[in-house]
Amino acid sequence: MPLDSPVRLGVQVQPEHAHYPAIRDAVLRLEELGADIVFNWDHFFPLHGDRDGLHFEAWTMLGAWAEQTERIEFGTLVSCNSYRNADLQADMARTLDHISAKGDGPGRFIFGTGAGWFERDYDEYGYEFGTPGSRLRDLADAMPRIRARWSKLNPAPTREIPVMIGGKGEQKTLRIVAEHADIWHSFVAPAELAHKLDVLARWGDEVGRDASEITVSNELDRRGLDVEHADALHAAGVRLFTVSVDGPEYDLGAVQRWLAWRDAKNG
């Protein structure tokens, strides 16, 4: 994405350790505050604290978010490709796209996806864990099927659904990003980004894609305002920044400070 593109802020509302009304309230407050995107995650158990604590499934929740919100974009940061058939994922995404369209406007769903990594999810829900390599091959195989299904569905999606792919592996993941993603999400440090973007550009050349069209996304610290780190990420090309909030309270104080930083960046 061109470096003069505006900064956007996404917030991951982690669906753990909270009853659903608290999650719903956090999403509504984030829209009121002016966040650009709200995300959940695609796991079946908490990742922090009590690993058997309160937790909710991602895609069912997204249907409620699509209906209850008016402006904010939304999605999963990121879905696990292993948990759902590729064509089913495409149909679910198209349906969320239509549910979230308000008036004559387009849908607001962002299709985040990745190869998966959390072994407990696989074991307890009966999915084959495989290897990092096999999961990445499955993701590479799924993306053309997803796009092909979008072209066949009636009604078609309201817009070209943006695809976000997470990960930083240079041999497989960044190739998939170059070929299929509109947004690349990672935890890469500012000093590493130039190299990773060079790898992404080379994969773009190989697959016939201008990788500079891909929005670069990265993480912010949810605990405070590390402006120096955020500024370094911005200087390296990041234009979508994400911060996480955890239940049960979903304190949005840090989010408000990051929104002010975003607005200052955008002038």
Side-chain angles (χ1 to χ4, degrees):
M1 176 171 279
L3 295 183
D4 59 354
S5 298
V7 171
R8 305 184 76 214
L9 186 75
V11 182
Q12 185 184 60
V13 178
Q14 298 176 345
E16 59 178 4
H17 306 307
H19 291 285
Y20 187 72
I23 297 172
R24 179 175 56 229
D25 179 66
V27 171
L28 291 172
R29 286 187 289 145
L30 287 166
E31 183 166 56
E32 291 170 1
L33 288 171
D36 296 292
I37 309 168
V38 63
F39 296 107
N40 59 16
W41 66 27
D42 191 19
H43 296 291
F44 304 133
F45 302 95
L47 299 184
H48 312 107
D50 179 3
R51 299 305 175 95
D52 293 311
L54 299 173
H55 198 274
F56 289 97
E57 192 276 327
W59 280 75
T60 311
M61 186 184 302
L62 294 179
W65 292 7
E67 192 66 66
Q68 77 183 46
T69 58
E70 298 289 332
R71 176 200 58 81
I72 199 166
E73 291 189 290
F74 66 98
T76 295
L77 186 63
V78 291
S79 288
C80 177
N81 176 69
S82 306
Y83 301 159
R84 301 162 193 90
N85 169 281
D87 292 84
L88 174 61
Q89 291 182 69
D91 204 342
M92 294 165 69
R94 181 280 310 256
T95 300
L96 287 169
D97 171 70
H98 277 266
I99 294 171
S100 64
K102 304 297 182 180
D104 296 329
R108 295 171 286 119
F109 176 65
I110 294 173
F111 180 71
T113 190
W117 63 274
F118 190 41
E119 189 168 3
R120 183 185 180 187
D121 284 346
Y122 286 80
D123 291 345
E124 294 216 26
Y125 276 61
Y127 297 106
E128 182 180 348
F129 189 54
T131 66
S134 70
R135 295 194 298 275
L136 282 166
R137 286 193 298 273
D138 289 344
L139 178 61
D141 291 342
M143 289 310 305
R145 286 179 57 189
I146 289 166
R147 292 194 179 279
R149 180 58 56 186
W150 281 338
S151 72
K152 297 174 183 177
L153 288 169
N154 184 15
T158 68
R159 65 173 181 169
E160 290 191 18
I161 296 174
V163 173
M164 168 188 272
I165 294 178
K168 65 177 184 176
E170 296 181 10
Q171 298 304 312
K172 295 180 180 178
T173 302
L174 290 182
R175 187 191 191 285
I176 300 170
V177 171
E179 188 168 4
H180 296 292
D182 302 289
I183 306 167
W184 168 51
H185 181 79
S186 78
F187 300 85
V188 172
E192 298 178 80
L193 267 174
H195 169 69
K196 295 292 185 182
L197 289 172
D198 182 62
V199 173
L200 184 59
R202 293 201 303 271
W203 278 123
D205 291 341
E206 182 157 326
V207 302
R209 173 96 183 278
D210 180 0
S212 69
E213 300 172 350
I214 300 170
T215 298
V216 181
S217 171
N218 208 302
E219 297 286 321
L220 295 172
D221 190 340
R222 64 176 171 173
R223 295 166 296 180
L225 199 68
D226 187 349
V227 171
E228 182 178 354
H229 179 73
D231 286 345
L233 288 171
H234 182 268
V238 175
R239 291 298 178 268
L240 173 58
F241 294 82
T242 63
V243 63
S244 298
V245 293
D246 196 5
E249 290 87 8
Y250 295 113
D251 180 359
L252 302 185
V255 172
Q256 291 177 284
R257 293 188 289 274
W258 283 119
L259 285 167
W261 175 83
R262 175 204 66 184
D263 294 344
K265 279 291 182 190
N266 290 336

